[in-house]
Amino acid sequence: MERTGAGGINSNECENVSRKREMSEEFEANTVDSLVDLPFATIDIIDDCGITDVPHINLERSKENEWNNKDKIKKRKKKQKDDQPNYFLSIPITNKEITKGIKILQNAIIQQDQRLAKAMNSDGSFHVTLLVMQLLNEDEINIGIDALLELKPFVEEILQGKTLTLPFEGVDTFGDQVGFVKLAEGDHINPLLEIADAAKRTFQEKGILAGESRTFKPHLTFMKLSKAPWLRKKGVKKIDPKFYEKFISHRFGEEMVHRIDLCSMLKKKQSNGYYHCESSIVIGDKNGGEPEDAELVRLSKRLVENAVLKAVQQYLEETQNKNKPGDGSSVKTEEADRNGTDSDNNRK
């Protein structure tokens, strides 16, 4: 009885294969040593007359896994882009002593490497970020403005009528990629953290995608390598600590918190270099923190635009209601009444 082997080959066929092998033993002896060095030398043979493992199956699996990984990376990047913040709450830095000190620091770094000039934050944009968020349209921006206004009483409750003063001292970086002036330690830290937490809670309760997973660390950014991506191609991959070593313990000054702004990361900046501001709340002494004239004009313009928009919407709603089925009868009745009155007057 003939035995069927793996792959459906019977014993007679197997014997024919064996005879052929005997005829080529000399050839195989000469080439076997060189074959063991080739990539497919590790493929196991199941049976002399059977089927060998097929490597292209593993290659197909490998390609499939590669595509799956690429797809996951693409989805992850899309999610990150979808969740990318485009607005933030800002405490503007207005103390000229601080801004002057930062300019001296920036110039000192640029003198050591001219290429880093493009990585510096511009004049007028210095600030401390309280909260980042995503506002995708005008409706969400208006919700953000409402949330900012609702934040004010919480801030006043936290400060209890006291002035919040932020002293800045020393320089550090985030991963040698972002350079910032440090906020000195002191009693001001806790109320600032409480304000940041209240802001996050207030905006999230409004349904706004706000806040970050990492712990809030208040700081004053003065440069970012990401502002000039081409620097990496030029060999500038980090901010060298020696560039700012003379400023490690430098005292830049104190900022009295007088305003919190809702700012856009993407809209065109103001003429003074500060970010486009949707709305503001004044903290503490109003005399020291009133918005500039240009900002007051802009805020007034926005209020007028909102009032006009609401008026137009109300007019459209009333027009639509008048044009609804059934309303025509009342109009016709009024016209008939007018016609009847006119005919009576003519008879008189």
Side-chain angles (χ1 to χ4, degrees), residues 339-348:
N339 293 333
T341 304
D342 291 340
S343 61
D344 291 342
N345 289 334
N346 291 332
R347 282 196 294 270
K348 290 178 181 179

Side-chain angles (χ1 to χ4, degrees), residues 88 90-93 98-99 101-103 105-106 109 118-130 132 168 170-174 176-183 212 214 216-227 239 252 265 269 273-275:
F88 65 102
S90 164
I91 297 176
I93 302 300
I98 297 176
T99 56
I102 293 176
K103 289 303 297 178
L105 165 63
Q106 289 177 325
I109 294 175
K118 295 295 184 179
M120 298 299 170
N121 283 24
S122 59
D123 293 350
S125 66
F126 301 132
H127 67 281
V128 174
T129 300
L130 271 180
V132 296
F168 293 94
V171 177
D172 201 353
T173 67
F174 291 124
D176 295 328
Q177 300 298 305
V178 177
F180 63 91
V181 175
K182 296 193 296 183
L183 183 64
E212 296 179 287
R214 60 188 177 189
F216 172 64
K217 182 178 181 178
H219 60 280
L220 201 174
T221 301
F222 67 86
M223 70 177 295
K224 294 180 183 178
L225 293 185
S226 60
K227 289 174 68 68
I239 303 171
F252 288 85
M265 298 180 185
K269 290 183 178 180
Y274 190 61
Y275 295 88

Side-chain angles (χ1 to χ4, degrees), residues 18 34 76 97-98 105 114 129 135 142-143 162 176 180 182 215 220 268 276 291 326:
S18 298
S34 60
R76 192 182 305 121
E97 179 187 359
I98 297 176
L105 165 63
Q114 293 286 334
T129 300
L135 304 175
N142 288 329
I143 293 173
K162 298 178 182 178
D176 295 328
F180 63 91
K182 296 193 296 183
T215 305
L220 201 174
K268 185 178 179 180
H276 175 89

Side-chain angles (χ1 to χ4, degrees), residues 60-295:
E60 289 177 358
R61 288 178 180 173
S62 177
K63 287 182 180 179
E64 185 179 350
N65 291 335
E66 184 179 349
W67 280 108
N68 288 337
N69 290 335
K70 286 182 179 179
D71 188 51
K72 288 178 181 178
I73 292 172
K74 188 183 292 186
K75 288 181 179 179
R76 192 182 305 121
K77 286 183 177 180
K78 185 180 184 301
K79 186 178 186 301
Q80 289 173 350
K81 187 176 181 180
D82 291 343
D83 295 341
Q84 191 74 19
N86 59 347
Y87 275 82
F88 65 102
L89 290 186
S90 164
I91 297 176
I93 302 300
T94 58
N95 184 344
K96 292 183 178 180
E97 179 187 359
I98 297 176
T99 56
K100 182 180 178 181
I102 293 176
K103 289 303 297 178
I104 293 173
L105 165 63
Q106 289 177 325
N107 289 332
I109 294 175
I110 293 171
Q111 286 177 5
Q112 298 174 76
D113 192 335
Q114 293 286 334
R115 297 172 298 179
L116 293 175
K118 295 295 184 179
M120 298 299 170
N121 283 24
S122 59
D123 293 350
S125 66
F126 301 132
H127 67 281
V128 174
T129 300
L130 271 180
L131 182 71
V132 296
M133 69 197 72
Q134 186 185 71
L135 304 175
L136 298 177
N137 50 53
E138 284 298 315
D139 288 339
E140 291 188 4
I141 291 172
N142 288 329
I143 293 173
I145 292 173
D146 291 340
L148 178 61
L149 297 177
E150 290 183 15
L151 175 64
K152 183 171 181 176
F154 292 111
V155 175
E156 292 175 345
E157 183 180 352
I158 291 170
L159 296 180
Q160 294 290 312
K162 298 178 182 178
T163 300
L164 180 59
T165 303
L166 305 179
F168 293 94
E169 181 179 345
V171 177
D172 201 353
T173 67
F174 291 124
D176 295 328
Q177 300 298 305
V178 177
F180 63 91
V181 175
K182 296 193 296 183
L183 183 64
E185 296 294 329
D187 295 337
H188 54 277
I189 296 292
N190 283 339
L192 182 62
L193 295 178
E194 288 181 30
I195 291 173
D197 185 61
K200 184 177 181 179
R201 184 174 61 254
T202 303
F203 277 77
Q204 287 183 345
E205 287 177 353
K206 287 280 189 179
I208 294 174
L209 185 63
E212 296 179 287
S213 57
R214 60 188 177 189
T215 305
F216 172 64
K217 182 178 181 178
H219 60 280
L220 201 174
T221 301
F222 67 86
M223 70 177 295
K224 294 180 183 178
L225 293 185
S226 60
K227 289 174 68 68
W230 54 267
L231 284 172
R232 182 169 289 273
K233 295 180 181 179
K234 296 290 185 179
V236 183
K237 298 181 179 180
K238 67 175 185 177
I239 303 171
D240 195 325
K242 71 179 182 182
F243 290 162
Y244 56 84
E245 60 184 0
K246 294 181 180 179
F247 295 84
I248 291 294
S249 302
H250 181 77
R251 293 184 178 181
F252 288 85
E254 297 180 343
E255 178 71 31
M256 293 178 60
V257 178
H258 59 265
R259 207 172 79 229
I260 297 177
D261 302 323
L262 175 61
C263 297
S264 170
M265 298 180 185
L266 305 178
K267 292 183 180 179
K268 185 178 179 180
K269 290 183 178 180
Q270 300 179 39
S271 58
N272 61 2
Y274 190 61
Y275 295 88
H276 175 89
C277 181
E278 300 290 350
S279 186
S280 305
I281 56 173
V282 175
I283 306 298
D285 183 12
K286 290 187 178 182
N287 294 327
E290 286 289 354
E292 296 179 0
D293 292 341
E295 185 181 347

